[in-house]
Amino acid sequence: MTESENRPTNSLSSKLNHLFASMTPAGRGPYSVEEVAREITASGVPISGSYIWLLRKGQRDNPTLRHLEGLAGFFGVPPTYFFDDEVTQAVNSELALLRALRDTNVQKIALRTAGLSERSLHSISEVIERVRELEGIDQDPSGPPAPL
């Protein structure tokens, strides 16, 4: 998935598709709409897989608040994720961090920095930013790089 595909647009379908793509169970592919529907229905909010599919395709774009709360609850995001673009951006930044932390190579690097001085951590952070520049990877738009 490219960087632009990871960034959802403001539409409900794009935000929902982003959650499906980002919130995958460990060791397998994404949830199916039927799985999500079963879990949401079991939590007390009746919804069908076909309705979720229509929402994902943009063929329905005005779900009830209960449906949005059910979807938000399933994916572990606040219901405002679907209404407030600032909340959407903040949640998506957290999801990107979680995806990065699942990466074994990222974990290895992070663990190797334990016990290093603040000065060394700052130097490592600068090297990483330089390598990102060399590879043409933009800095995270949510803010300056955090020290390691």
Side-chain angles (χ1 to χ4, degrees):
M1 193 174 275
T2 66
E3 186 75 23
S4 62
E5 289 172 323
N6 281 334
R7 259 187 242 127
T9 64
N10 294 334
S11 72
L12 173 66
S13 63
S14 294
K15 290 177 181 183
L16 191 54
N17 285 325
H18 185 72
L19 289 175
F20 268 88
S22 300
M23 304 294 287
T24 58
R28 56 163 270 202
Y31 290 106
S32 71
V33 292
E34 292 302 327
E35 284 179 288
V36 174
R38 274 193 307 273
E39 291 293 322
I40 294 172
T41 298
S43 74
V45 180
I47 192 169
S48 69
S50 59
Y51 185 68
I52 294 173
W53 183 86
L54 291 169
L55 290 171
R56 289 188 71 187
K57 294 296 178 188
Q59 294 178 11
R60 296 288 186 277
D61 61 2
N62 193 19
T64 66
L65 180 58
R66 280 183 49 126
H67 285 150
L68 288 178
E69 288 172 339
L71 288 162
F74 177 84
F75 287 109
V77 299
T80 52
Y81 176 85
F82 297 108
F83 305 110
D84 185 332
D85 290 338
E86 287 181 22
V87 172
T88 303
Q89 184 177 11
V91 168
N92 288 341
S93 293
E94 290 175 14
L95 292 175
L97 176 60
L98 288 173
R99 273 194 315 276
L101 290 175
R102 283 184 179 173
D103 183 319
T104 308
N105 290 325
V106 173
Q107 290 175 11
K108 287 178 185 176
I109 292 169
L111 289 172
R112 302 274 301 156
T113 64
L116 295 178
S117 69
E118 188 68 33
R119 183 175 175 192
S120 294
L121 291 173
H122 181 71
S123 295
I124 292 169
S125 181
E126 288 177 345
V127 169
I128 290 170
E129 286 307 311
R130 179 66 181 131
V131 170
R132 289 178 63 85
E133 285 175 22
L134 291 172
E135 291 192 6
I137 302 170
D138 289 335
Q139 179 178 318
D140 180 32
S142 64
L148 295 174

